[in-house]
Amino acid sequence: MTREERPTKGEQTREMIIRQSAAVFNQFGFFGTSISDIMRETGLEKGGIYNHFPEGKEQLALAAFDYSRDHTSRKLEEAFKQVRHAADRLVMFARILESRFDDPELPGGCVILNTAVEADDAHPVLREKARQAMDDLYAMVLRILSKGIERGEIKAEVDREAAATILISTVEGAMMLSKLYGDVRYLSTARQHVEQYVERELRA
């Protein structure tokens, strides 16, 4: 990285605010998080936060959502580099989402689920963010299935849309149970079910 490409001090501060706020928002939600919570987490005064996010908490929450979504996407991309076979990637998909339950880098579980449940009709902008992120997740699983069918790794007769729905809803539903009861075993059970489903119904 050249001197010109290095982020400025202001850019570094903004990135720090987003990174540390993402963990707070993902654990306590938009409505459960105050600017005082962000101040305490970042060690900044209110003016320092508003200097980077003049529109306030909503602007910061949207940036934090993007950070959390990208964090999960990076985890998936890194995992997919380790496996090529489509069926193995579907199993890896479930394992990575399971690991999000107690991810030390970004605690709080799946940001899409958290945001969709909390925002719903109360915060349409965040709800739309969650919907777009879920669209991307669904499209990613569909691509894995489509390429798998093309390469003969996934059974040709598989209904891609149905399989994607089963895979995502199984893991996300288990994430909700694990968060509600504070117990990762629901996710572990769902991940094991996904592995069996992939082997029994999808792998060619």
Side-chain angles (χ1 to χ4, degrees):
M1 180 178 290
T2 66
R3 184 182 300 274
E4 290 76 15
E5 293 173 326
R6 291 173 185 163
T8 65
K9 185 176 180 180
E11 290 170 338
Q12 291 176 343
T13 300
R14 187 177 191 277
E15 290 171 4
M16 179 274 289
I17 294 171
I18 293 172
R19 183 177 65 253
Q20 296 187 207
S21 298
V24 180
F25 281 119
N26 205 37
Q27 291 178 87
F28 304 107
F30 177 79
F31 296 106
T33 299
S34 67
I35 290 296
S36 296
D37 295 325
I38 303 301
M39 291 166 58
R40 185 163 49 253
E41 184 70 21
T42 60
L44 297 175
E45 298 295 327
K46 184 180 292 187
I49 295 171
Y50 277 92
N51 181 52
H52 294 278
F53 299 94
E55 296 175 28
K57 189 174 79 166
E58 178 173 321
Q59 183 185 15
L60 176 54
L62 294 173
F65 178 91
D66 289 339
Y67 174 86
S68 298
R69 177 203 61 206
D70 292 344
H71 175 79
T72 300
S73 296
R74 286 193 300 272
K75 293 285 187 181
L76 287 167
E77 288 172 7
E78 291 169 3
F80 290 160
K81 289 177 182 177
Q82 302 173 29
V83 292
R84 172 174 170 76
H85 196 287
D88 295 331
R89 287 191 169 188
L90 294 174
V91 169
M92 188 66 74
F93 164 79
R95 291 176 180 173
I96 293 300
L97 290 193
E98 178 189 15
S99 73
R100 290 292 293 111
F101 179 72
D102 53 5
D103 186 343
E105 296 180 61
L106 188 58
C110 177
V111 67
I112 303 175
L113 172 66
N114 294 344
T115 304
V117 170
E118 186 199 25
D120 197 18
D121 296 329
H123 201 301
V125 178
L126 271 173
R127 181 179 183 276
E128 183 58 27
K129 279 273 190 184
R131 182 169 181 169
Q132 290 172 0
M134 183 56 75
D135 285 346
D136 291 342
L137 193 66
Y138 189 83
M140 181 199 71
V141 176
L142 278 181
R143 283 195 301 273
I144 294 173
L145 288 162
S146 297
K147 289 181 180 179
I149 291 172
E150 290 173 8
R151 296 197 295 251
E153 299 168 351
I154 300 294
K155 294 176 181 177
E157 67 271 20
V158 165
D159 183 327
R160 297 176 308 123
E161 287 79 9
T165 299
I166 290 169
L167 289 163
I168 293 173
S169 60
T170 297
V171 179
E172 292 290 0
M175 178 71 78
M176 184 272 292
L177 287 170
S178 286
K179 282 183 63 64
L180 184 62
Y181 293 107
D183 190 341
V184 74
R185 69 187 176 93
Y186 298 100
L187 265 170
S188 298
T189 298
R191 186 256 308 154
Q192 292 168 13
H193 175 75
V194 165
E195 292 176 352
Q196 294 167 4
Y197 171 70
V198 169
E199 296 302 321
R200 183 177 63 250
E201 303 293 340
L202 304 182
R203 190 186 291 271

